[in-house]
Amino acid sequence: MIGRIVRFFGDAEQAKRRRWLLAATLLAVFVADFFVAREHVVFFWDAISGWAALFGFLSCVAIIFISKALGRQGRLMRREDYYD
Amino acid sequence: MTDWVHPGLLFVVGALPIPWLSGRPRQAWLILVPVLAIANMATLVPGDYGAFDFAGVALLVGKVDKLSLVFAWVFTIMALIGTVYALHVRRPEQHVAAFLYVGSALGVVFAGDWFTLLVSWEIMAFASAYLIFAAAEAPAVRAAFRYLMVHVTGGVLLFGGIVLHGVATGSFLFGPLGEEGGLAYTLILVAFMLNAAVPPLNAWLTDAYPEATVTGAVFLSAFTTKTAVYVLIRAYPGAEILVWLGSIMAIYGVVYAVLENDTRRLLAYHIVSQVGYMVVGVGIGTEMALNGSAAHAFAHIFYKGLLFMGAGAVIYMTGRRKLTELGGLYRTMPVTVFLYMIGAFAISAFPLFSGFVSKSMVIAAAAGDQRAAVVLMLTVASSGTFLHTGLKLPYYMFFGKDCGLRPAEPPLNMLIAMGLAAVLCIGIGIFPGVLYALLPYPVDFAPYTGAHITGSLGILMFTLLGFVVFLKALDPEQTISLDTDWFYRKGARLFMWFAEKPVARWEGAVSALSDTVVLRVLHASARGGLLVDLHVVDAIVNGVARTALAWGATVRRLQTGIVSHYAAAMIGGVLTGMAVYVVFWAG
């Protein structure tokens, strides 16, 4: 059972099904956000349906590219023998 | 006194017979000690224990209250899990070091006075350093020395702060430090932040933890930073600076995790990030925020231990630790993948996992305090957490490009330990009430609201979308990243150059001068004295000359020419100077 679940996420022949599963999950999560009760609205974005999806995606992209820029252009990344 | 057994003492005493046991009896003993400690936890009743008077100073070895109990619970349970994971290790000294480490961490947690805290703090530093030394490879030994140097420095700051605080207030009982900005307040805060790995004092952690033994790193991931969170909760609740440093910390670890190629160093950067949430909670300082910090520390220890166990299992079975050299292991290690992913979902705060019910307390406390920027920073860090520990690391370690290795699952004891941690990660997520009941303040918080669930899933699943779309950009590279350890790793080299070149040359010149000129003058004057006044004062002159000769010889002997001796003398001099300053002027 565990082996089967893990293989589903690894084997190349399942790639198509994985993509469908991802698309369905994303859609479900996005749509569900429009149907929940919003009692604790502290900041303006708490009231916006779909905000979390947008913010999550943008955060992810920002983290990847800003970090890589710091690593490359910011010279944080060095050869492995830098300290030797 | 008799109705109280210090849980830390059980581990310290329990460590003693380990070297004389072997085989099954030793394994049984290793399990028995943490089991007894857990059973003992159930008997502890809040109160003050082990109070005594030492040279006129009131000390208190055991202060038991809800806050110390929640940390002691998670420490003892994690000690059991870590011990099960390490059960196959034959070298007794690693088990001894681990037990002393757990024991001293519990010593900090129950410390009712600053001296008990300091002594436990120092034992913790040395015992934990051994878990890095024990890896025995040259990079590990060097990292362990750096680790030890940093923690000894932290210990000196703590000691200085404690003495100043004690002299100023007349009490050495451990409690909140009210007066903001004083030297004692600052010294102790810096020492605590160092152990909590708050940037820029974080590099010791990410430098040393990945070099530790496979089993040692599991212990390391649990105790040092979380004792630091504990003492911060005790001494600095509501310190505004911690809100900002904690928020920066949460992002800092995430940024470095993008760049990292070493599996356990990536996880270590996520310790920094996760402890950031706890530090934010301490800084906000409301009851809900402090509850959140304690709850997050509790949940964190299990999922981070589980993640380190998973990465450790891969290193143990393959001998490889770089993402660029791994991949495709899911075919033969599915159980490890499955258990690792439970830890990954827990740290990412998926609903039904432990991080969901603890991290959200801190964020809700920040929202309740109207801190929009903090909430946004912590949310970005949440996205980054899933991106790295939940996606990047498992993808490149277990899936992705096939590295061609077909390792078996790790030994059964390792899988059992991971299973125990996984059960707790899910159990806490499904039954948060059990954890909430342990927290220091009454909990009025419901994590499972519709908006919170869809909001969290929105952040996480669309992070996954970003990962899938930009996967290529995340490919690990064969590099290391510069962190603040650069200053002492390169700085030490500069110091050694300075000691070897200018200082040694100056020293050479001075000794040449004393050899050629000073001694000759002394000789000549002695001889001259002998000639000029052989009869009247020869005894005196002889005496002076002999003294001068002897002095010259002594000076020459002192000048060993070994640079480390000069360095030690210089450091000793600087420390003495600082001590004199602190005691006589700064007080």
Side-chain angles (χ1 to χ4, degrees):
Chain A
M1 156 78 168
I2 287 176
R4 218 198 242 164
I5 296 173
V6 171
R7 272 198 304 280
F8 173 78
F9 288 99
D11 290 346
E13 50 268 35
Q14 305 283 359
K16 209 169 182 183
R17 276 191 219 166
R18 280 202 298 270
R19 219 166 296 145
W20 276 110
L21 180 69
L22 175 65
T25 313
L26 291 176
L27 189 69
V29 167
F30 187 76
V31 171
D33 205 36
F34 288 83
F35 294 95
V36 289
R38 299 182 181 277
E39 289 137 12
H40 294 289
V41 176
V42 182
F43 306 113
F44 70 87
W45 58 76
D46 289 333
I48 305 171
S49 296
W51 161 268
L54 182 70
F55 193 76
F57 183 76
L58 293 181
S59 298
C60 173
V61 174
I63 289 166
I64 295 174
F65 290 100
I66 292 175
S67 305
K68 283 284 184 186
L70 285 171
R72 296 225 180 84
Q73 281 76 43
R75 309 265 290 135
L76 287 178
M77 289 163 98
R78 298 297 175 105
R79 288 156 52 107
E80 285 177 332
D81 59 0
Y82 175 76
Y83 284 116
D84 297 335
Chain B
M1 282 294 288
T2 48
D3 56 344
W4 136 270
V5 179
H6 196 303
L9 195 66
L10 284 175
F11 283 98
V12 174
V13 174
L16 297 177
I18 293 174
W20 285 276
L21 296 170
S22 61
R24 293 276 168 209
R26 186 206 275 165
Q27 294 188 333
W29 178 258
L30 287 172
I31 299 292
L32 181 69
V33 172
V35 168
L36 277 180
I38 292 169
N40 179 48
M41 282 301 302
T43 69
L44 291 185
V45 181
D48 290 351
Y49 303 89
F52 65 99
D53 212 70
F54 180 77
V57 178
L59 299 183
L60 180 62
V61 175
K63 183 183 172 69
V64 180
D65 61 11
K66 287 205 85 172
L67 181 59
S68 51
L69 281 174
V70 66
F71 277 84
W73 268 114
V74 65
F75 281 6
T76 46
I77 298 171
M78 188 61 211
L80 175 65
I81 294 174
T83 306
V84 171
Y85 189 74
L87 211 54
H88 62 280
V89 175
R90 288 177 195 276
R91 300 252 306 276
E93 60 274 19
Q94 289 192 35
H95 296 294
V96 173
F99 273 20
L100 288 179
Y101 183 28
V102 176
S104 51
L106 287 164
V108 172
V109 163
F110 287 112
D113 68 83
W114 287 100
F115 277 118
T116 308
L117 189 149
L118 178 71
V119 171
S120 308
W121 196 263
E122 295 289 350
I123 298 173
M124 209 167 75
F126 281 87
S128 57
Y130 187 78
L131 296 172
I132 307 159
F133 277 114
E137 289 150 8
V141 172
R142 284 199 294 270
F145 267 115
R146 289 193 292 272
Y147 173 91
L148 203 52
M149 286 297 144
V150 171
H151 281 283
V152 167
T153 309
V156 171
L157 299 177
L158 180 60
F159 183 57
I162 288 173
V163 170
L164 290 177
H165 171 73
V167 169
T169 62
S171 163
F172 283 95
L173 292 180
F174 179 37
L177 287 168
E179 78 286 25
E180 212 164 309
L183 185 59
Y185 180 96
T186 310
L187 284 177
I188 298 174
L189 180 61
V190 170
F192 284 178
M193 289 199 307
L194 190 146
N195 267 32
V198 178
L201 306 173
N202 64 296
W204 60 268
L205 190 158
T206 45
D207 177 23
Y209 281 14
E211 306 294 341
T213 63
V214 164
T215 54
V218 175
F219 283 93
L220 288 168
S221 75
F223 296 103
T224 300
T225 46
K226 262 58 74 184
T227 48
V229 169
Y230 167 80
V231 292
L232 283 172
I233 294 177
R234 277 256 184 257
Y236 294 95
E240 180 69 20
I241 185 174
L242 293 177
V243 177
W244 297 106
L245 287 175
S247 304
I248 292 168
M249 207 174 154
I251 304 250
Y252 189 95
V254 164
V255 167
Y256 271 94
V258 178
L259 311 178
E260 198 49 62
N261 187 26
D262 183 302
T263 52
R264 288 190 298 175
R265 190 158 282 130
L266 189 155
L267 291 176
Y269 273 113
H270 269 284
I271 296 181
V272 174
S273 177
Q274 291 297 301
V275 172
Y277 290 85
M278 302 168 212
V279 171
V280 168
V282 178
I284 294 171
T286 58
E287 288 193 353
M288 181 169 182
L290 297 177
N291 269 345
S293 292
H296 203 46
F298 194 99
H300 171 89
I301 284 177
F302 295 130
Y303 60 65
K304 186 54 84 177
L306 177 51
L307 296 170
F308 264 89
M309 287 190 273
V314 169
I315 294 172
Y316 185 77
M317 297 311 294
T318 65
R320 297 187 187 181
R321 50 190 273 185
K322 292 179 192 162
L323 291 176
T324 43
E325 298 171 0
L326 290 165
L329 305 182
Y330 76 94
R331 296 177 181 85
T332 51
M333 298 180 86
V335 180
T336 307
V337 176
F338 189 79
L339 293 171
Y340 174 92
M341 286 312 296
I342 291 176
F345 287 135
I347 193 176
S348 309
F350 269 87
L352 302 182
F353 293 88
S354 59
F356 185 79
V357 303
S358 62
K359 186 187 284 184
S360 53
M361 283 182 97
V362 176
I363 297 180
D369 219 32
Q370 297 293 332
R371 294 175 183 271
V374 174
V375 170
L376 288 179
M377 284 168 89
L378 294 185
T379 310
V380 170
S382 300
S383 162
T385 305
F386 180 48
L387 177 63
H388 301 121
T389 50
L391 296 170
K392 174 186 168 180
L393 189 61
Y395 179 78
Y396 291 103
M397 188 160 67
F398 296 123
F399 301 100
K401 174 181 63 68
D402 186 5
C403 70
L405 295 180
R406 293 290 179 269
E409 296 281 3
L412 186 63
N413 64 301
M414 288 179 146
L415 288 177
I416 291 174
M418 293 171 72
L420 286 173
V423 166
L424 286 162
C425 287
I426 297 175
I428 294 168
I430 297 179
F431 306 107
V434 181
L435 170 59
Y436 291 172
L438 286 173
L439 296 178
Y441 301 103
V443 176
D444 175 28
F445 178 66
Y448 288 106
T449 64
H452 184 207
I453 292 172
T454 57
S456 299
L457 286 175
I459 298 276
L460 295 169
M461 293 316 292
F462 282 82
T463 298
L464 171 59
L465 178 65
F467 173 77
V468 172
V469 173
F470 296 107
L471 181 61
K472 275 280 150 269
L474 268 175
D475 273 353
E477 296 170 69
Q478 297 217 30
T479 56
I480 57 168
S481 308
L482 302 190
D483 201 338
T484 49
D485 53 344
W486 183 87
F487 291 98
Y488 51 83
R489 293 175 81 167
K490 285 289 178 188
R493 226 160 269 184
L494 187 70
F495 176 80
M496 287 312 290
W497 175 86
F498 184 70
E500 277 162 9
K501 296 291 154 79
V503 175
R505 198 169 294 163
W506 183 70
E507 181 273 337
V510 168
S511 59
L513 187 76
S514 73
D515 278 355
T516 53
V517 182
V518 178
L519 276 182
R520 252 180 228 171
V521 168
L522 287 171
H523 281 245
S525 73
R527 250 182 267 119
L530 236 94
L531 285 171
V532 169
D533 210 341
L534 210 77
H535 303 286
V536 188
V537 283
D538 67 340
I540 302 166
V541 173
N542 275 340
V544 169
R546 241 178 265 128
T547 313
L549 274 170
W551 185 74
T554 313
V555 169
R556 270 216 302 208
R557 244 179 286 129
L558 276 178
Q559 293 167 333
T560 56
I562 297 172
V563 176
S564 61
H565 292 188
Y566 296 122
M570 284 163 72
I571 292 167
V574 170
L575 287 180
T576 314
M578 280 165 60
V580 169
Y581 168 77
V582 164
V583 172
F584 292 100
W585 283 285

